Amino acid sequence: MRGVTATLMLAALAGLSGCDAPSASGGGGHSTAVESGAPQARYENVEYGVAVDYPKDEVVRVDAREAAKGYFNEGGWRVGVGPDQPGAALLVLRLKGSDEIRTGELRLGASRDEQARAGCTEPAPWARPNSVGEAELDGVAFTTFQGGDAAMNHSRQVHAWRALRDGTCFAIDLVVQGSNGQVYDPPREAPFSETRAFNDLSALLGGIHFMDATVLH
């Protein structure tokens, strides 16, 4: 499967419509998201020409509006933009077990806006300069970068993927965010480590596939 190499690379660094349908494909610091035989679900968007096969025992699909309720979330089609920017938040997959202390999500968005396409693969202002790189998913070249933010006992870390394909800017954001459990009474522990979250989210990248888009009138 194309994209496996890119998935492993990102895992190492971790140290508007769609539908779900069954697919026939068959804790700790390791990734559980790609265990053999895990029941699969499929998201497919023919308008933008993208599909995602994912293990339904490991992640849950949530509405993009729900995902936008977090402390740092701007409500736009990708991390870093607001709802006024043209684009579509296509899919959000959240790791099971996520809570207020730590949440892990894969977010997929797309935009055909001229401005979004012009700057599609440019690293975001919040990207760490030494994190910028290149990788490939399903034969599509992506620019990758990482960054984060912290304020008021909240934190967010992002591994971002950006690609321009057939006139569409695709944004894949692996987001791990939450709050400081030590400020609670009694203190609360995170459901999983940040490293495990990024490992599991990175494993989902191997399920992303691109196809010819269908123009809807």
Side-chain angles (χ1 to χ4, degrees):
M1 180 186 296
R2 290 179 296 178
V4 173
T5 300
T7 301
L8 294 176
M9 289 172 59
L10 187 56
L13 288 174
L16 237 100
S17 59
C19 60
D20 284 312
S23 170
S25 58
H30 70 287
S31 172
T32 59
V34 290
E35 289 182 352
S36 177
Q40 298 288 303
R42 183 176 178 87
Y43 166 86
E44 187 172 291
N45 191 298
V46 296
E47 181 180 357
Y48 285 99
V50 63
V52 183
D53 294 310
Y54 61 92
K56 60 184 181 181
D57 284 351
E58 303 296 336
V59 296
V60 59
R61 182 180 172 187
V62 299
D63 187 274
R65 289 170 295 184
E66 179 183 347
K69 294 178 181 178
Y71 184 86
F72 292 104
N73 297 340
E74 302 89 354
W77 66 276
R78 62 169 175 81
V79 167
V81 301
D84 57 325
Q85 298 297 312
L90 303 179
L91 177 68
V92 179
L93 298 177
R94 179 176 293 166
L95 295 177
K96 288 190 174 181
S98 294
D99 61 15
E100 298 89 347
I101 307 304
R102 182 163 292 136
T103 295
E105 294 175 343
L106 180 149
R107 305 178 188 174
L108 170 65
S111 178
R112 293 185 175 130
D113 175 68
E114 182 177 355
Q115 184 176 356
R117 289 187 285 114
C120 181
T121 58
E122 296 179 5
W126 45 263
R128 294 190 291 270
N130 61 354
S131 72
V132 179
E134 296 179 351
E136 185 176 290
L137 288 178
D138 198 36
V140 177
F142 278 77
T143 296
T144 65
F145 52 90
Q146 302 175 14
D149 197 2
M152 300 294 292
N153 287 308
H154 290 78
S155 64
R156 176 176 72 174
Q157 295 296 321
V158 181
H159 291 186
W161 295 62
R162 303 286 185 266
L164 187 63
R165 179 183 184 272
D166 294 340
T168 299
C169 179
F170 286 97
I172 304 169
D173 292 307
L174 309 183
V175 181
V176 178
Q177 63 185 12
S179 58
N180 180 6
Q182 299 307 304
V183 302
Y184 288 81
D185 186 15
R188 295 175 58 183
E189 296 293 330
F192 39 72
S193 69
E194 183 178 295
T195 297
R196 174 186 164 182
F198 275 120
N199 284 346
D200 286 355
L201 293 172
S202 297
L204 299 174
L205 295 171
I208 297 176
H209 312 285
F210 296 95
M211 55 198 176
D212 293 335
T214 300
V215 178
L216 302 181
H217 298 284

